[in-house]
Structures are given as C-alpha cells and as structure tokens.
Amino acid sequence: MDDKYMSKMSPTVDFCAGMYLVIIAILSIFGNAAVLVSAGRRHAQLKAPELLTVNLAITDIGMVLCMYPLSISSAFNHAWIGGDTSCLYYGLMGMIFSITSILTLAVMGMIRYLVTGSPPKRGVKFQRRSISIVISAIWLYATLWALLPLMGWGSYGPEPFGLACSIDWTGYGESLNHSTFIMALSVLCTFLPCLVILFSYFGIAWKLHRAYQSMQSNDVQNGNVEKKITLMAVMISSGFLIAWTPYVAVSFWSMFHSQEQDHMAPIITMLPCLFAKSATAYNPFIYFIFQANSRHELVHLHKLMCCCSHQANSSAEGEKLEGKMVKGLDCTSFERETDETCVAPMGAPDNGSQMMPLG
C-alpha cells in the first residue's frame, strides 16, 4: 500500500478515533433522523425558513452515511481503505456536504435578518417555493466546486495523518493551479459565508434591540417567538463555526508551511478533523431544545409506536393473550386523541425521542 495512505498514528489512537466516530455517527443518525421525522409529521405547518433547518439535517445525515463508514473502517484498519479511488470519493463527498452546510447557514442568517422586522411584524415574508429554489441552488453550487478538482483545477489528497482525504492543502505552494483553486475556494466558500453569518446576526441583534425598546404589550409573544427562533439559528451557526475553525486554521497553516509539514505531530492534524465531525451531532439537540412543539410531537409519536408495537405482538400471539390486553395501551385511544393511525414501528423517531433533552 502507498505510504501516504498508512496511518501516522499508533493503533491505539486509531482505535480511539474509530470509536469516537462511531459514537458521533450514532448520535448524528438518530438525532437528524428525528428532526426529519418531526418535520415530515408537521410538513403542512412548516414555515418557509424552517426548510433550511431540514436541509441542514439532510446534509448532516448525508455526510454521516456517505463518509463515516469509510473513515471508521480505515481507523480500525490502521490504514486508508480503497486507495486513490476511495480518497477521491471521500474528498468529493466532504466538499459537497461541507459547502452545502456553510452556505445553508449563511442563507439562514440572511433570511433570519430579513424576516426579523423592527417591530417583528414588519419582517419580510418568504414563500416555500422561493426557499426551495435557494436550497437547490446551494446544492448545485456545492456540487460544482466539488467537481472542479476532478476536472483539473485543484486536487484531492490524503490528510497528513493518513486516515481521511480532502483538498490537497499542501499543494498551495507547488503550482499556480493549486494556489488559485485553494484561494478561490477559501474566499467564495469559507470567508464570504462566514462574514455573511456574522453580519447577519449582528444585524439581527440590533433589530431586536430596537424592536424590544418600542414593543407594545400585545407584541410581546410575537417578539419572544422571534427571539427564540433567532437564538436557535445563532447557536447552530456558532457551533458549526467553532467546530470547523480549528480544522481551517490547521489547513491554512499547512498551505503556507508545506515544507514544515513533516515536523508537525500527526495528532495535531487529526484532532481538528475529528472535532469538525462533531458538527453533525449537536445540531438536532439545539433544534429540539428550541422547538418545544417538535419535542412534544416526538414524545407522543414514541408512545403511539409503543402502543402499536404492543398491539401487533398481542395479535401475533393469538389466543394465548386473548382477553389479557393491558388496558390503556389500546391504539384506538391514541387515535381518538390525535387522529393518528397506527403505523409500522420506525427506528429513527423512537431513538430520536429517547435522545432528546426533555428538560
């Protein structure tokens, strides 16, 4: 195997990294699946800007399903699996999902700024169709940038520690091709979105400050909702930026100090990469902390599923349990209460509801 795909860490460190990624993957899958189930159940009531939160959950769970199995198996293998082909695939997927995430957060910030009026009732209204078009444009933009290295502008390569692949940052000083691609990517897909996020939320804070100063008593409830939704978006964006900043810092250091790359301890390049992957896990928890209605719906869904599962098991056992059904676990009681019908048990909502912080 090519030496560049061999792990530069000890087997023990690789095993710990693999276990860490397994935990992050489990939390990410169940948490983001719960967000998607909740959004699906209240699809008709979703506000247009909330589609961006759904898109963020899709990017998070997509990153986990498309990338983490390869990095986890490579960590346990103590070497990258698949060589150049899997490295290109991993870098491609990483680019698509990471650019989509940061652009979604930037658009979320801009829309929150426009929606937040002073007072709140005067904010701009968005239609679902408009937000859907924006989301589609984000995915196309991210895919275009991800494909450019395959077309000859820039390139993908293994990370210095050997167990992941991304843009070849160390190639910055080697050719004009690499340097122009990395600078264009940095400006258009990192710095500008980050500036949009920062300026958007500074603008929102100023708008809300002015609104609360002049708010009448009958506007208090509306203002509280506006503040809650904005705070949720701020926390999600801040968490993403905090998670990815160490990785970006190390990558840029590698760009301008490629000759000193061999003198950097592999663990220093590995830890920021692992920390960045945590961004896929905590977004669902922030969402459910601030979306009380969604949490209550998922708890109720969990109860309904338990009821239906009990009824299905009782029917399968036949006469042995006839007449012994426990009172209170009859699905019809839930149907009368919520106008729901029993559905086959689904893993994601069940686990998602168990994971939710319920106070």
Side-chain angles (χ1 to χ4, degrees):
M1 178 180 291
D2 196 327
D3 184 63
K4 65 182 180 180
Y5 292 127
M6 294 297 298
S7 173
K8 310 305 185 294
M9 316 298 299
S10 68
T12 301
V13 173
D14 284 344
F15 178 81
C16 292
M19 291 304 300
Y20 167 83
L21 291 176
V22 168
I23 295 172
I24 293 296
I26 292 172
L27 293 176
S28 300
I29 290 173
F30 288 139
N32 287 290
V35 172
L36 296 178
V37 169
S38 173
R41 284 174 49 79
R42 48 189 290 267
H43 180 265
Q45 290 77 39
L46 281 179
K47 296 181 180 179
E50 288 185 276
L51 295 178
L52 292 166
T53 305
V54 173
N55 189 55
L56 196 61
I58 292 173
T59 61
D60 287 345
I61 202 170
M63 181 178 289
V64 172
L65 295 177
C66 295
M67 299 174 63
Y68 285 22
L70 187 55
S71 55
I72 290 171
S73 57
S74 296
F76 290 146
N77 187 54
H78 193 52
W80 181 254
I81 295 175
D84 291 337
T85 302
S86 63
C87 186
L88 288 176
Y89 164 80
Y90 193 89
L92 183 73
M93 292 296 103
M95 279 277 282
I96 291 175
F97 290 121
S98 58
I99 293 177
T100 300
S101 294
I102 194 169
L103 291 181
T104 298
L105 292 172
V107 172
M108 188 185 296
M110 287 192 295
I111 289 179
R112 288 310 318 161
Y113 175 80
L114 296 172
V115 167
T116 304
S118 181
K121 286 183 179 179
R122 296 180 185 172
V124 179
K125 303 298 181 184
F126 286 90
Q127 300 297 321
R128 283 193 180 192
R129 185 173 180 275
S130 302
I131 300 298
S132 299
I133 292 174
V134 170
I135 291 173
S136 299
I138 288 173
W139 281 97
L140 289 174
Y141 184 81
T143 302
L144 173 62
W145 276 100
L147 291 175
L148 287 176
L150 302 183
M151 299 175 183
W153 193 27
S155 65
Y156 294 114
E159 295 278 10
F161 55 90
L163 293 179
C165 292
S166 67
I167 291 298
D168 184 10
W169 300 100
T170 58
Y172 176 79
E174 296 178 358
S175 68
L176 183 63
N177 178 292
H178 284 78
S179 60
T180 54
F181 175 75
I182 290 174
M183 289 307 298
L185 176 71
S186 302
V187 171
L188 299 177
C189 299
T190 303
F191 293 137
L192 284 181
C194 287
L195 288 176
V196 169
I197 291 171
L198 293 175
F199 281 111
S200 294
Y201 290 120
F202 275 121
I204 290 170
W206 175 247
K207 278 189 175 184
L208 292 177
H209 173 70
R210 292 179 56 191
Y212 295 149
Q213 284 184 330
S214 60
M215 190 176 290
Q216 303 297 322
S217 59
N218 60 348
D219 289 329
V220 172
Q221 183 62 35
N222 194 12
N224 288 338
V225 172
E226 194 72 39
K227 183 178 180 181
K228 182 183 73 171
I229 296 175
T230 299
L231 184 57
M232 179 188 74
V234 168
M235 290 189 66
I236 291 176
S237 300
S238 300
F240 183 89
L241 295 178
I242 291 171
W244 280 92
T245 295
Y247 176 78
V248 172
V250 170
S251 298
F252 272 79
W253 188 92
S254 300
M255 284 169 49
F256 298 106
H257 300 83
S258 57
Q259 301 300 322
E260 304 172 29
Q261 185 69 43
D262 294 337
H263 301 292
M264 179 184 288
I267 191 72
I268 296 178
T269 61
M270 183 181 190
L271 290 178
C273 186
L274 294 178
F275 185 55
K277 294 183 185 301
S278 67
T280 62
Y282 55 71
N283 284 341
F285 296 98
I286 296 175
Y287 177 83
F288 284 116
I289 287 172
F290 287 92
Q291 295 291 328
N293 291 338
S294 299
R295 286 190 293 154
H296 295 327
E297 285 181 2
L298 278 176
V299 171
H300 191 81
L301 177 61
H302 172 54
K303 292 179 180 178
L304 180 62
M305 284 163 36
C306 291
C307 150
C308 296
S309 177
H310 176 86
Q311 188 183 60
N313 291 336
S314 299
S315 299
E317 291 176 5
E319 293 183 357
K320 290 194 297 182
L321 291 180
E322 186 177 357
K324 295 183 180 180
M325 293 289 289
V326 180
K327 187 176 181 180
L329 287 176
D330 184 4
C331 283
T332 56
S333 64
F334 284 97
E335 291 172 9
R336 287 194 298 268
E337 215 175 291
T338 63
D339 293 324
E340 304 271 0
T341 57
C342 281
V343 294
M346 294 176 292
D350 183 17
N351 287 283
S353 60
Q354 292 177 10
M355 291 169 50
M356 291 181 300
L358 297 176

